[in-house]
C-alpha cells in the first residue's frame, strides 16, 4: 500500500512533473516566474486548488455521470479558485498585486483539470489528495527553481520580498548580489523560455543517466542470479 | 562487382555521374570571409586601441570554448574538425565587430555563450541554426545590458598619446580600470535620435563632429568593426569578386535601406536622416555584406534573396526611424531570419528538367528518340 503512495509522490515530484515532464501549465510557469518568491506563491496557490479539487472530484466521482463530469469539475475548480483568489487578496495582498490575474487564471490551468480527469475521477479520496499534493509541490518546485534562476541572473537577488509571502521571520532568505546590474533579458519572456529549455535538457540528462544506471544494475543482478543458479 | 560497389568505392565518393569537386570546404569559405574582415578589423584596432583587440580576441576565444563544450556535451565524434572549420571563429569575429570596442570581458563571455550555445548548438550545430548566431548574441546582449552595450568611445588611435597602452588596455577589458568619462561618446545614430527627441532640428544635430565625410573612413565613435564603411565595402567586394557571395543580397539590403531614407529625407529633411548617413553609419555595411549573406539563414533562390534582403533594409530603416533603439540592423535580420522558411516556401528553385510551375520541359525532337 505504501508502495502505491510512494509511486504517486515520486511521479508528482519528478517523473510526471507538471512542468518538466507533462509540459502543462506553461503559461503561469513562464509569466509569473520573474522571481523565486512569485514562483513559490503561485505554486502554493495552485497546490491548494489542486489538492482541494482532487479531493472533491474524488468524492463525487460516483454520483456524477460521465456526460456532465467536465462542467461539474469546472464549476468545482472555479469555486475553489475564487476562494483562493479572495483569500490571497485579503491576507497576502502584496503578492496578490504581483500575481494579479494569474491567480484567477488558475481556473484554466490545464494541469488541474488534467489531474481531475486522469487521476481523481478514477481513484480514492486519499490517493487523490496525495496526488494533488505531490503534483502541486512538483509544480511549486519547478516554478520556484525557474523563478530563482531568472531572478538571480536577471536582477542579482534571491527570494526578494520573501518576507512579504512567508512572514517577516523568513527575511533571512532574501539575498542580494552586490554590484551586479543583472541581465535584463532573463526577466523578460525569452529568459523564461531559455531557462526552461536548459532545465528540461538537464532533467533529460539526469533521467538518461539513471536509466543507464538501472540497466547496468539489472544486468549485474541477472548475471549474479545466473551465477547463483 | 556489384552496382553498389560501383557507386560507392572505398573512398565513399559517388562516381556514377560526372562529378567534380571544386576544392571548396566549410573551412576554406570561413577563412575567406575572415580575410575579407581583416582590413576593417585592423582599422578598428588602430582606431580604438588595445581594449578593442582584447575584446576581439576574447570574444573569439569564448566562442571556441563554448563550441568545444557543446560538442563534448553532445557527444560529437567530430570535435576537432568542427572546431577547426572556423565557423565558431567567424561567429565570434562578427559578434566582436558589432560590440562597443571597450566592452568588458564578461560581454565577450556571455556573448559567446548566447551565440554558440543558444544561437547555434541548441539547433544542432553548423548549418542547422534558424537565426544568425552573431545577431542573436548581439540582440540578447543589447537587451540584457543596455548600459554596457551603448558605451561608445571617441576614437583614440594607437598612435595617440592619451590612448591606453597594452597593460591599460588589458585592464580596461578586465574591467579593472574604469572607463574615463571624458572619452565616452554617442554614435551618430544615437546622437541624432537623442537630439530629435529633444526637438533639435536635423541640420543642427548633424552639425559639427558628425559630418558624413568622416563616415567612409570611419574615424568616429561606433562599434569595433562597423565604423569604416569603406573598408567593410572593400571586404565585401572581395567576397563578391571571389564568388563567395552574390551581389543580390547586399545590393537589395542597401536598396531597402536607402530608398525609403531618400524618399523620407527629401520630403522632410528636418526630421529624417538622409540616405548617405543611413548607409554609412551603424551596422548597415557590415550587415549588407557579412550578415544577411549568411548561407544558412538566408533564402535559397535569387528572387527570395532579393525580397529577404530588401525587407531587412526596410525594417532597419523603420526601426532606426521610429523605434526605441537607434540601430535596428540586428533586429531586422532576426525578424527576417524567422521569415526565411516562409520565403523559401514561395520562392522554390526550379526543378531540373521542369519549368517554374513544375511541368516537364519539352524536349527537342532530336532527343526524344
Amino acid at each position: 500500500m505504501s508502495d502505491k503512495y510512494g509511486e504517486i509522490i515520486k511521479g508528482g515530484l519528478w517523473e510526471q512533473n507538471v512542468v518538466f515532464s507533462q509540459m502543462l501549465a506553461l503559461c503561469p510557469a513562464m509569466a509569473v516566474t520573474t522571481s523565486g518568491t512569485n514562483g513559490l506563491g503561485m505554486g502554493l496557490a495552485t497546490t491548494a486548488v489542486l489538492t482541494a479539487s482532487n479531493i472533491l472530484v474524488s468524492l463525487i466521482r460516483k454520483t456524477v455521470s460521465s456526460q456532465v463530469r467536465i462542467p461539474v469539475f469546472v464549476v468545482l475548480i472555479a469555486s475553489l479558485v475564487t476562494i483562493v483568489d479572495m483569500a490571497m487578496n485579503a491576507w497576502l495582498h502584496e503578492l496578490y498585486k504581483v500575481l494579479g490575474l494569474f491567480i484567477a487564471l488558475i481556473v484554466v490551468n490545464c494541469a488541474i483539470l488534467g489531474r481531475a480527469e486522469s487521476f481523481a475521477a478514477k481513484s480514492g479520496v486519499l490517493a487523490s489528495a496525495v496526488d494533488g499534493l505531490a503534483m502541486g509541490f512538483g509544480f511549486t518546485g519547478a516554478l520556484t527553481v525557474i523563478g530563482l534562476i531568472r531572478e538571480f541572473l536577471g536582477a542579482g537577488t534571491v527570494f526578494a520580498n520573501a518576507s512579504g509571502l512567508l512572514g517577516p521571520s523568513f527575511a533571512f532568505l532574501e539575498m542580494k548580489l552586490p554590484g551586479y546590474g543583472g541581465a535584463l533579458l532573463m526577466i523578460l519572456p525569452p529568459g523564461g523560455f531559455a531557462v526552461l529549455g536548459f532545465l528540461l535538457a538537464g532533467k533529460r540528462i539526469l533521467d538518461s543517466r539513471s536509466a543507464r544506471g538501472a540497466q547496468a544494475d539489472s544486468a549485474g543482478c541477472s548475471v549474479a542470479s545466473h551465477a547463483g543458479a | 562487382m556489384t552496382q553498389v560497389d560501383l557507386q560507392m568505392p572505398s573512398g565513399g565518393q559517388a562516381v556514377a555521374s560526372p562529378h567534380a569537386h571544386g576544392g571548396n570546404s566549410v573551412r576554406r569559405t570561413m577563412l575567406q570571409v575572415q580575410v575579407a574582415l581583416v582590413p576593417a578589423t585592423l582599422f578598428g584596432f588602430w582606431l580604438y586601441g588595445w581594449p578593442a583587440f582584447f575584446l576581439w580576441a576574447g570574444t573569439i576565444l569564448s566562442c571556441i570554448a563554448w563550441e568545444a563544450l557543446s560538442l563534448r556535451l553532445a557527444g560529437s565524434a567530430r570535435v576537432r574538425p568542427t572546431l577547426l572549420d572556423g565557423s565558431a571563429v567567424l561567429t565570434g569575429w562578427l559578434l566582436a565587430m558589432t560590440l562597443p570596442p571597450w566592452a568588458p570581458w564578461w560581454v565577450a563571455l556571455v556573448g559567446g555563450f548566447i551565440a554558440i550555445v543558444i544561437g547555434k548548438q541548441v539547433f544542432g550545430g553548423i548549418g542547422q541554426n534558424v537565426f544568425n548566431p552573431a545577431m542573436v548574441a548581439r540582440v540578447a546582449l543589447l537587451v540584457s545590458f543596455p548600459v554596457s552595450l551603448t558605451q561608445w568611445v571617441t576614437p583614440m588611435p594607437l598612435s595617440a598619446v592619451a590612448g591606453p597602452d597594452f597593460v591599460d588596455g588589458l585592464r580596461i577589458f578586465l574591467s579593472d580600470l574604469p572607463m574615463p568619462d571624458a572619452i565616452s561618446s554617442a554614435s551618430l545614430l544615437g546622437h541624432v535620435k537623442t537630439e530629435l527627441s529633444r526637438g533639435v532640428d536635423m541640420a543642427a544635430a548633424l552639425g559639427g563632429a558628425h559630418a558624413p565625410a568622416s563616415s567612409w573612413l570611419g574615424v568616429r565613435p561606433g562599434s569595433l568593426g562597423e565604423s569604416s564603411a569603406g573598408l567593410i565595402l572593400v571586404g565585401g567586394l572581395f567576397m563578391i569578386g571571389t564568388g563567395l557571395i552574390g551581389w543580390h543580397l547586399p545590393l537589395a539590403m542597401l536598396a531597402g535601406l536607402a530608398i525609403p531614407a531618400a524618399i523620407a529625407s527629401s520630403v522632410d529633411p528636418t526630421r529624417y536622416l538622409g540616405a548617405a548617413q543611413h548607409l554609412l553609419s551603424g551596422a548597415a555595411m557590415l550587415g549588407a555584406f557579412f550578415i544577411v549573406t549568411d548561407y544558412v539563414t538566408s533564402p535559397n533562390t535569387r528572387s527570395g534573396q532579393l525580397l529577404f534582403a530588401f525587407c531587412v533594409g526596410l525594417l532597419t530603416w523603420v526601426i532606426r526611424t521610429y523605434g526605441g533603439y537607434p540601430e535596428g540592423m540586428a533586429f531586422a535580420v532576426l525578424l527576417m531570419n524567422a521569415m526565411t522558411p516562409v520565403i523559401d516556401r514561395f520562392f522554390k528553385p526550379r526543378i531540373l528538367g521542369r519549368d517554374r510551375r513544375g511541368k516537364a520541359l519539352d524536349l527537342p525532337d532530336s532527343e526524344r528518340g
Side-chain angles (χ1 to χ4, degrees):
Chain A
M1 207 50 193
S2 64
D3 229 29
K4 178 182 150 201
Y5 293 118
E7 282 293 305
I8 294 174
I9 292 170
K10 212 169 127 193
L13 291 182
W14 183 261
E15 280 163 12
Q16 293 289 314
N17 188 295
V18 175
V19 176
F20 293 144
S21 294
Q22 302 186 42
M23 299 292 286
L24 291 178
L26 289 185
C27 172
M30 293 292 98
V32 301
T33 52
T34 50
S35 78
T37 309
N38 288 357
L40 184 63
M42 183 70 193
L44 290 178
T46 311
T47 305
V49 174
L50 186 55
T51 311
S53 88
N54 262 11
I55 292 173
L56 288 181
V57 166
S58 176
L59 279 173
I60 60 162
R61 71 184 191 279
K62 284 175 184 149
T63 42
V64 178
S65 70
S66 69
Q67 284 86 351
V68 295
R69 68 185 198 284
I70 299 285
V72 172
F73 294 169
V74 170
V75 168
L76 275 178
I77 295 168
S79 320
L80 289 167
V81 170
T82 311
I83 293 169
V84 169
D85 189 66
M86 288 172 158
M88 283 187 79
N89 197 359
W91 290 301
L92 296 167
H93 191 67
E94 287 305 307
L95 189 71
Y96 181 81
K97 273 199 292 192
V98 178
L99 297 178
L101 186 63
F102 288 99
I103 295 295
L105 281 177
I106 294 176
V107 74
V108 287
N109 187 328
C110 36
I112 293 174
L113 194 61
R115 287 330 281 174
E117 180 68 6
S118 67
F119 194 90
K122 299 170 191 159
S123 315
V125 176
L126 190 58
S128 299
V130 172
D131 180 71
L133 278 175
M135 282 287 163
F137 282 127
F139 184 64
T140 309
L143 257 61
T144 312
V145 169
I146 298 175
L148 279 179
I149 295 174
R150 287 178 70 184
E151 180 187 0
F152 182 72
L153 294 178
T157 58
V158 174
F159 275 125
N161 301 322
S163 49
L165 168 69
L166 301 164
S169 49
F170 282 90
F172 72 91
L173 279 175
E174 296 176 26
M175 271 173 263
K176 178 145 179 54
L177 206 64
Y180 177 66
L184 195 59
L185 193 74
M186 300 309 290
I187 298 287
L188 298 172
F193 283 103
V195 169
L196 179 65
F198 280 107
L199 286 175
L200 283 175
K203 181 173 187 286
R204 286 191 63 136
I205 290 174
L206 286 181
D207 282 348
S208 65
R209 282 231 177 114
S210 68
R212 243 179 292 155
Q215 243 173 15
D217 276 356
S218 66
C221 282
S222 66
V223 167
S225 61
H226 278 297
Chain B
M1 194 186 256
T2 62
Q3 197 168 0
V4 177
D5 284 334
L6 207 125
Q7 283 187 343
M8 297 290 285
S10 54
Q13 283 168 339
V15 291
S17 294
H19 294 302
H21 197 282
N24 210 350
S25 66
V26 174
R27 189 173 180 183
R28 196 170 124 177
T29 306
M30 296 294 166
L31 210 64
Q32 277 177 316
V33 178
Q34 285 161 21
V35 168
L37 279 171
V38 164
T41 313
L42 286 180
F43 181 72
F45 294 160
W46 175 77
L47 201 59
Y48 301 116
W50 285 108
F53 171 75
F54 289 117
L55 177 70
W56 172 81
T59 312
I60 290 180
L61 279 181
S62 142
C63 279
I64 295 175
W66 286 117
E67 175 110 333
L69 185 73
S70 306
L71 290 170
R72 253 192 102 89
L73 283 179
S76 167
R78 294 172 37 84
V79 177
R80 264 180 73 89
T82 312
L83 277 182
L84 289 177
D85 73 13
S87 59
V89 175
L90 183 62
T91 300
W93 195 327
L94 284 174
L95 173 61
M97 301 283 277
T98 69
L99 294 176
W102 288 23
W105 60 274
W106 47 265
V107 166
L109 188 72
V110 177
F113 173 78
I114 297 169
I116 296 296
V117 180
I118 296 183
K120 181 175 160 195
Q121 289 294 340
V122 158
F123 291 95
I126 184 166
Q128 307 291 327
N129 46 302
V130 181
F131 299 101
N132 188 311
M135 290 299 103
V136 172
R138 158 84 196 154
V139 163
L141 287 171
L142 180 64
V143 174
S144 295
F145 313 108
V147 177
S148 304
L149 263 281
T150 47
Q151 275 187 337
W152 314 109
V153 291
T154 18
M156 204 171 264
L158 275 181
S159 49
V161 182
D165 60 12
F166 184 85
V167 178
D168 277 355
L170 190 60
R171 287 178 65 194
I172 287 174
F173 177 60
L174 296 174
S175 359
D176 188 34
L177 206 63
M179 192 191 293
D181 279 343
I183 61 163
S184 66
S185 177
S187 67
L188 170 73
L189 291 170
H191 172 73
V192 166
K193 183 140 252 169
T194 322
E195 294 295 277
L196 283 181
S197 66
R198 281 172 50 204
V200 177
D201 190 48
M202 179 67 80
L206 280 180
H210 290 296
S214 64
S215 294
W216 276 109
L217 203 61
V219 186
R220 63 201 165 116
S223 303
L224 200 167
E226 293 173 356
S227 309
S228 171
L231 289 174
I232 298 269
L233 186 66
V234 168
L237 292 178
F238 164 76
M239 288 200 296
I240 293 178
T242 53
L244 210 56
I245 57 172
W247 54 266
H248 306 72
L249 282 164
L251 193 75
M253 142 118 210
L254 293 176
L257 182 60
I259 293 171
I263 295 172
S265 72
S266 68
V267 171
D268 187 358
T270 59
R271 281 188 53 217
Y272 298 102
L273 212 53
Q277 284 98 333
H278 267 296
L279 288 183
L280 297 180
S281 50
M285 283 290 170
L286 187 79
F289 288 102
F290 289 91
I291 305 294
V292 297
T293 52
D294 178 23
Y295 294 157
V296 181
T297 55
S298 60
N300 290 325
T301 54
R302 297 283 185 225
S303 41
Q305 287 179 351
L306 287 174
L307 177 70
F308 167 84
F310 189 85
C311 288
V312 171
L314 187 68
L315 278 173
T316 305
W317 180 78
V318 168
I319 296 171
R320 279 181 179 182
T321 311
Y322 303 106
Y325 287 103
E327 170 61 301
M329 209 1 257
F331 295 101
V333 168
L334 291 186
L335 281 170
M336 287 315 292
N337 281 166
M339 296 298 290
T340 297
V342 183
I343 295 175
D344 269 339
R345 196 182 154 78
F346 286 103
F347 294 88
K348 284 181 183 160
R350 189 172 66 84
I351 301 167
L352 190 68
R354 288 173 184 273
D355 69 4
R356 298 220 161 268
R357 289 185 187 154
K359 259 174 54 187
L361 288 179
D362 277 338
L363 289 176
D365 284 338
S366 57
E367 286 180 30
R368 200 166 275 167

